[in-house]
Amino acid sequence: MQNFNTYDYFQLPLAKIHQLPLQMDLAPQDKTKLRAVVAAPANNPTPGAGPGGAVASGHVDCSSITAIAKDCRGLKEQPSQPKFKGALVQVYVRGAPFGGSDKSSNGHRFDSITLANGMIESGMSCQLLHYTHEEHEHFFSLAAKFDFIIVRCDPGQIKADGGDQQKFDDGMRKLRKQGVQIWPSPDGMEKMAAKDALCKVASMSIGLPDTLAYYSEQEFAQGFKKAVAFQPRVIRHREGIWTVKLKAQNYCSEFGQRCAEDTEVLVLMEDNDNHEEEHTVAEFIEFCVNGHSDKAGKWTSKGAGKYLAGGKEAGGQLVDQRFCPRKVEGELRYNMIADTLVGITHEKPKAGGISVGGTGSVYTYFGSDEPQYQRLTRGFLDKDLPLVMPALGLDELPLWWTADFINSSPEGTDEKWIVSAFNCSCASISRCLAACCKDDTPNASYDDISAEDKAEADKHGKLIGEKAAAILSKK
């Protein structure tokens, strides 16, 4: 850790102070002074306070933990006597540009204000907090005083900030056992994000029967060689998704008719940035199992590979599913509040790409009753939804979650949409994306959301608040 003296710290701009580690070799009185600087810069309320900066009666006083955000612009006044006391928890990755790829310029996640306002409009408090691993024990002692916690930490952020994701999750599990409602629960995030969730719904109308899961090197090598020799595949892991095709296009006519040879060349496209590279079957298997080893050849991917590391319980798994060519037409994201569909987003990749979410993707928004998708909507909500959570081993629906679908049917046939991913870890309110900082919009804020998008986002926030209040009242 780099050493700074007291003078060095107090000469740094506030934005830089937020990126520094909290374990400082300072005198106690200087630590107190610096904490005051970080916790209460101009226009920065204490953690969980309303726009005026004061903690209302009936709320949890969190002024003893570090305030990361510069302000809470757009946040409504907290109710003085809330029905339920809640907190929205975020992580600011110190050292990462903007504090993480999901942040507004004030340090909050880009849709946190909208989500918190939805809770406030339903008569509950919703204090905006940042978790720092140095304050773990004290943070969770305060968290135990809330009725509910909304976790808005993107996967990987706690680790990237120097913390321990398992330690954080165990803390949330303990709170849940004590009766605090956690949205989403650590188990819910883990089981819904696991790629073998697609195998567990393979027999439903939203699934594909030839969805395979691999948990060992032997299973992967044998199954993948057989599958890729038959048709292009999509190999999924929570830290990497690859579209895989034989360069020679010499597919067999029946599944199992042959297995691909180690020396056959694959054309690979990585989902996160749509970049292509070529490797042999043996090199791809080596990368997936052992990462950037000499046997894997030279890779341009920034991913680490090693997808089977740690075994099944640690997320060491790969899912193998047929490639659906019409994915290039885009995906449908079903935005769900518990069991209620509140909107459909069509996400189309940029020209030449097959994956959505990156720069250049085009978003089109539809209501929950959009006629062209009614066949999928009715089948998913009426037939499959009651079966999904039990199939995944979960006891309740998340509060705010999404299901992504791609069209698996050949052109000219009846459309069959199949689920490609579930997400409750940090499902975004996409109408708030204008508040998210990027290289070309480093000062993006809540004020940059258009009036139209803000109105639509507020509707979702309000519905989430109403659903949350109803669930808490029943409990």
Side-chain angles (χ1 to χ4, degrees), residues 58-60 78-79 81-87 116 119-120 123-127 146-148:
H59 297 168
V60 178
Q78 302 277 2
Q81 297 296 326
K83 297 176 183 176
F84 300 101
K85 294 178 290 186
M119 301 294 156
I120 292 170
M124 303 178 288
S125 65
C126 192
Q127 299 175 227
F146 289 98
D147 298 309
F148 68 91

Side-chain angles (χ1 to χ4, degrees), residues 60-344:
V60 178
D61 184 355
C62 296
S63 59
S64 57
I65 61 174
T66 303
I68 300 295
K70 299 174 186 177
D71 60 62
C72 290
R73 185 181 297 276
L75 186 67
K76 296 181 182 295
E77 197 74 41
Q78 302 277 2
S80 59
Q81 297 296 326
K83 297 176 183 176
F84 300 101
K85 294 178 290 186
L88 187 151
V89 177
Q90 312 156 92
V91 168
Y92 186 94
V93 182
R94 290 160 285 179
F98 315 120
S101 61
D102 62 339
K103 296 298 188 295
S104 286
S105 57
N106 62 1
H108 290 302
R109 182 180 156 86
F110 70 90
D111 54 5
S112 289
I113 297 297
T114 297
L115 191 51
N117 282 343
M119 301 294 156
I120 292 170
E121 286 196 18
S122 293
M124 303 178 288
S125 65
C126 192
Q127 299 175 227
L128 298 176
L129 308 180
H130 282 83
Y131 169 83
T132 57
H133 63 90
E134 297 91 343
E135 300 175 332
H136 177 88
E137 297 300 332
H138 184 48
F139 176 90
F140 274 95
S141 69
L142 294 175
K145 299 178 181 180
F146 289 98
D147 298 309
F148 68 91
I149 302 286
I150 299 175
V151 180
R152 301 294 282 170
C153 310
D154 271 355
Q157 286 185 333
I158 290 175
K159 182 179 179 180
D161 193 47
D164 184 331
Q165 182 71 53
Q166 187 65 47
K167 185 176 182 181
F168 177 85
D169 288 347
D170 287 345
M172 289 296 171
R173 288 187 177 98
K174 183 177 179 181
L175 290 181
R176 195 166 185 257
K177 289 181 179 179
Q178 295 172 353
V180 180
Q181 177 68 52
I182 308 297
W183 283 309
S185 69
D187 292 333
M189 287 188 280
E190 181 180 305
K191 292 181 179 181
M192 292 188 76
K195 294 306 177 184
D196 64 354
L198 301 181
C199 299
K200 296 174 182 177
V201 300
S203 62
M204 300 181 191
S205 65
I206 55 171
L208 280 177
D210 59 330
T211 302
L212 312 171
Y214 309 125
Y215 303 100
S216 70
E217 179 178 358
Q218 183 179 11
E219 284 180 332
F220 174 48
Q222 292 178 347
F224 171 69
K225 288 179 181 180
K226 182 185 295 185
V228 78
F230 175 55
Q231 59 187 184
R233 310 298 294 180
V234 177
I235 303 298
R236 302 176 185 274
H237 183 267
R238 63 186 180 187
E239 295 182 3
I241 301 176
W242 294 92
T243 298
V244 184
K245 299 179 180 180
L246 290 176
K247 185 174 183 178
Q249 299 287 312
N250 55 330
Y251 299 105
C252 58
S253 59
E254 295 181 11
F255 181 72
Q257 194 175 59
R258 80 175 188 93
C259 291
E261 300 291 335
D262 285 342
T263 55
E264 290 187 58
V265 178
L266 303 173
V267 178
L268 308 164
M269 179 177 282
E270 193 169 16
D271 197 75
N272 63 348
D273 60 5
N274 291 309
H275 89 276
E276 281 191 0
E277 48 188 296
E278 294 183 3
H279 294 277
T280 65
V281 170
E283 288 173 339
F284 180 62
I285 293 173
E286 175 68 13
F287 175 78
C288 291
V289 175
N290 296 316
H292 293 270
S293 68
D294 291 339
K295 290 174 61 179
K298 186 176 181 179
W299 289 70
T300 58
S301 172
K302 297 178 182 178
K306 298 183 180 180
Y307 300 135
L308 300 178
K312 181 179 180 179
E313 297 304 318
Q317 57 183 253
L318 283 167
V319 169
D320 181 349
Q321 195 173 51
R322 81 177 75 157
F323 171 68
C324 300
R326 295 182 70 179
K327 183 180 179 181
V328 298
E329 299 174 8
E331 300 182 11
L332 296 178
R333 171 158 290 183
Y334 273 45
N335 301 294
M336 303 290 298
I337 300 175
D339 58 355
T340 303
L341 174 64
V342 294
I344 302 170

